[in-house]
Amino acid sequence: MDRDEARTVKRQLAGYVGELLAGRVRASGAAPASAGIGLGLAPLPDGGYGVALRYRLGVPTARMVARKVAEQVGPTVDVRRTGRIRATPGRTAPAPRPPVVTALALGETGRARPLRPGVSIAHADVSAGTLGAFVEVDGALHALSNYHVLVGAPSARVGDTVLQPGPADGGRDPDDRVGVLAAFDALTRGRTATVDAAVARLDDPEVDLRYPVGLITTTAVADGGESVAKIGRTTGLTEGRVSAIELDDVVVGYGEELGELRFDDQIEVESTSAAPFSRGGDSGSLVYRADGVALGLLFAGSETGGDNGSGLTYLNPIGAALDALGARLAG
């Protein structure tokens, strides 16, 4: 199938999945819960597309629905199990997917001046995430990361202090202040989202724009199947492959304050090695193609699932994240 044909089948399957879930609710009399079913497009070796179906491990209803869909559609559906998908980090209290402790992280958890992509950063009341890229907003230089890294909770406000390294890695105010929270796309309990993104206006515009692979100033829409890489606070430089695009109903856990949020039009990446593509603390990393073109902003992942069992990683399309913030990649 070409992309448009696959999108049509995806819409049809979404209706079928809805009917199966509704029938399950009627039969059991139980209130509908999170189904744990996501649908998107899966790249095929011949350049075409199948439908990607993702279901959560440990949810019997999701497993039943996935089996019935596979029986109905056949080999054009790419079915994979995922672990529970969580955002990271959180407030300084224990988080759903807390960053890996400083001593075990492979990336840069220490103080880095000039600032560069891949280092630890966070709101002063958040644990630690990753500085993904530098962007320009209204002509000023900003650091790009996730909402849950630079904001962390609905109580945060524009002007709050941002630290490098993040508090979980020893960052303290005022010695490690690098800027202030400037803008974000708010996440709200019960509302389907597309991006988890925020920017901090930097105190010092002297930064390393070329680390680690040279200037990244161009963005593209993911087609699926691309070889990609990222540099993050926890796992450092890792490589992977875009295993699905346009994934809807990706359910991500955000802890007590926000609960589980649904995301549409997301990108999925699987590792191309035995190690995971990302772990807790890598949130906010910029994910780019081998030719240095940015595709996505890493915001969540599972610790299990995927072909090699090391988990799957989820990205916001970079264009959507930048548009939401009125930003462009600096260069």
Side-chain angles (χ1 to χ4, degrees):
M1 295 184 288
D2 63 23
R3 188 179 293 199
D4 288 338
E5 291 171 329
R7 285 171 175 158
T8 298
V9 174
K10 173 188 162 185
R11 286 193 296 269
Q12 294 169 344
L13 284 180
Y16 179 54
V17 168
E19 292 173 3
L20 290 173
L21 293 173
R24 182 82 171 186
V25 169
R26 287 193 298 270
S28 66
S34 172
I37 295 286
L39 290 171
L41 306 186
L44 300 177
D46 64 2
Y49 293 89
V51 174
L53 187 150
R54 303 295 184 257
Y55 73 97
R56 186 188 296 181
L57 287 165
V59 181
T61 298
R63 186 172 62 249
M64 176 275 294
V65 170
R67 184 177 66 251
K68 286 186 176 294
V69 170
E71 291 171 352
Q72 179 80 11
V73 182
T76 57
V77 174
D78 174 34
V79 180
R80 299 190 190 198
R81 298 175 299 175
T82 74
R84 188 174 295 274
I85 302 167
R86 297 182 174 94
T88 176
R91 291 284 172 163
T92 49
R97 191 192 183 210
V100 172
V101 295
T102 304
L104 298 179
L106 300 177
E108 293 198 66
T109 58
R111 195 173 192 271
R113 304 292 186 276
L115 292 178
R116 53 184 176 266
V119 300
S120 170
I121 197 170
H123 185 285
D125 291 330
V126 174
S127 50
T130 296
L131 193 166
F134 298 107
V135 298
E136 290 185 0
V137 181
D138 296 330
L141 193 67
H142 292 65
L144 172 68
S145 191
N146 292 140
Y147 171 96
H148 69 270
V149 173
L150 297 180
V151 183
S155 57
R157 296 289 181 266
V158 168
D160 285 356
T161 297
V162 171
L163 305 177
Q164 194 295 308
D169 295 320
R172 298 293 180 265
D173 187 21
D175 291 348
D176 298 303
R177 169 180 154 146
V178 291
V180 296
L181 177 62
F184 54 87
D185 193 62
L187 297 177
T188 305
R189 183 185 287 268
R191 179 176 67 88
T192 299
T194 303
V195 302
D196 175 342
V199 290
R201 181 165 179 155
L202 298 176
D203 295 337
D204 184 353
E206 293 299 318
V207 300
D208 185 350
L209 292 171
R210 305 189 66 85
Y211 184 84
V213 291
L215 284 176
I216 298 180
T217 59
T218 305
T219 67
V221 175
D223 291 323
E226 295 96 337
S227 295
V228 293
K230 73 99 186 68
I231 185 163
R233 170 260 178 209
T234 299
T235 56
L237 183 62
T238 59
E239 297 180 346
R241 170 186 171 272
V242 176
S243 46
I245 59 173
E246 301 182 24
L247 270 171
D248 294 336
D249 289 322
V250 177
V251 179
V252 181
Y254 277 83
E256 292 183 2
E257 289 188 278
L258 290 173
E260 289 191 327
L261 302 183
R262 294 177 181 272
F263 284 78
D264 283 350
D265 195 26
Q266 302 302 293
I267 302 167
E268 178 189 87
V269 172
E270 63 179 358
S271 175
T272 50
S273 73
F277 184 74
S278 71
R279 293 185 70 192
D282 286 326
S283 278
S285 301
L286 187 70
V287 178
Y288 48 87
R289 293 190 319 218
D291 59 358
V293 173
L295 294 184
L297 183 68
L298 192 159
F299 80 107
S302 63
E303 304 296 341
T304 60
D307 281 353
N308 70 358
S310 67
L312 294 164
T313 295
Y314 294 90
L315 328 175
N316 305 148
I318 188 60
L322 294 175
D323 288 348
L325 299 167
R328 67 178 183 89
L329 292 174

